[in-house]
Amino acid sequence: MILASASPRRKEILENFGFSFKTVVKNVDETSNKDTVKEKIMEIARKKAIAVAKDFPNENVIGADTMVVINNKILGKPHNRQEAFEMLKSLSGKNHEVITAFSFINLEKNITYCDYEITKVYFKNLTDEEINWYIGTNEPMDKAGAYGIQGKGAFFVEKIEGDFFSVMGFPLGKFVRFLSESGFDLNNLEKI
């Protein structure tokens, strides 16, 4: 299996579950002209997987993408400290959705599957001091929505409704159910 992502969080989630894989990343255009956020995120996950699958047509390739959405606005990765501050301020005291899509492709076996998971995350009210402290850790700079639930950003989260791993970057439960329902042997994860 090949993970078409450089995300250390996705790598950690899959390794901890017992999957054996290599990581291959291609530069792809991470934009979409689709109408809905769900369609956009699935298209981006698919693009990532297809770009790698073309070089490894007989391998199972996984692509994934995560978006944070509040009031129909997509929050990507912040470009600077000010943008991170504004994102976190907009999430303060509210709930938002984290949508993570995955694409599973094997060109030789003609397998193309894409799905997504939506998790609702509730933030406590954040003070400017708390936001600035967090930005000072540099943790928010490579994360959609400017926070990581598995790190110091957990301090901001009051509760979640849905899949924790999806917020972290990969919808593990939905992915494993897909494999099981597709006839893959979960007793041999290293051979998937």
Side-chain angles (χ1 to χ4, degrees):
M1 188 164 73
I2 297 175
L3 176 62
S5 171
S7 165
R9 292 161 295 282
R10 291 188 184 115
K11 184 175 184 288
E12 178 187 341
I13 291 167
L14 292 166
E15 281 177 345
N16 286 345
F17 196 78
F19 288 102
S20 178
F21 57 91
K22 58 187 170 188
T23 301
V24 178
V25 181
K26 295 280 187 176
N27 254 344
V28 296
D29 175 20
E30 292 191 32
T31 61
S32 170
N33 294 323
K34 299 286 186 184
D35 293 331
T36 70
V37 174
K38 295 166 201 147
E39 289 172 322
K40 286 178 192 294
I41 194 164
M42 286 196 298
E43 181 181 36
I44 294 166
R46 195 177 299 112
K47 280 183 185 180
K48 291 177 178 180
I50 287 173
V52 172
K54 286 178 181 174
D55 290 344
F56 301 92
N58 62 337
E59 296 262 9
N60 297 321
V61 180
I62 307 166
D65 198 50
T66 300
M67 292 183 183
V68 172
V69 181
I70 185 164
N71 301 325
N72 293 319
K73 181 181 178 192
I74 297 170
L75 302 182
K77 297 174 184 175
H79 295 100
N80 54 50
R81 293 174 66 88
Q82 181 61 36
E83 201 170 286
F85 184 91
E86 290 165 8
M87 285 183 188
L88 291 166
K89 195 74 171 167
S90 75
L91 298 174
S92 175
K94 301 182 184 106
N95 68 69
H96 59 275
E97 290 181 336
V98 178
I99 306 171
T100 300
F102 74 89
S103 182
F104 184 91
I105 295 175
N106 185 309
L107 294 176
E108 194 172 87
K109 293 179 181 173
N110 202 26
I111 300 171
T112 302
Y113 181 82
C114 203
D115 206 348
Y116 63 90
E117 187 75 62
I118 300 175
T119 302
K120 193 174 275 194
V121 181
Y122 295 78
F123 263 31
K124 70 183 203 92
N125 285 310
L126 310 178
T127 66
D128 289 357
E129 291 78 20
E130 290 168 336
I131 294 172
N132 284 321
W133 161 79
Y134 184 57
I135 292 169
T137 69
N138 278 331
E139 190 176 277
M141 301 317 292
D142 69 337
K143 294 171 183 63
Y147 77 95
I149 194 169
Q150 74 286 351
K152 294 176 180 73
F155 170 62
F156 298 153
V157 178
E158 280 189 340
K159 69 176 182 174
I160 70 167
E161 293 173 3
D163 182 345
F164 172 83
F165 293 107
S166 186
V167 180
M168 203 173 147
F170 193 77
L172 184 64
K174 190 164 267 191
F175 177 66
V176 173
R177 281 191 297 280
F178 154 71
L179 292 176
S180 179
E181 290 165 4
S182 299
F184 288 95
D185 183 0
L186 298 182
N187 292 309
N188 288 307
L189 293 178
E190 66 281 351
K191 293 185 178 163
I192 292 177

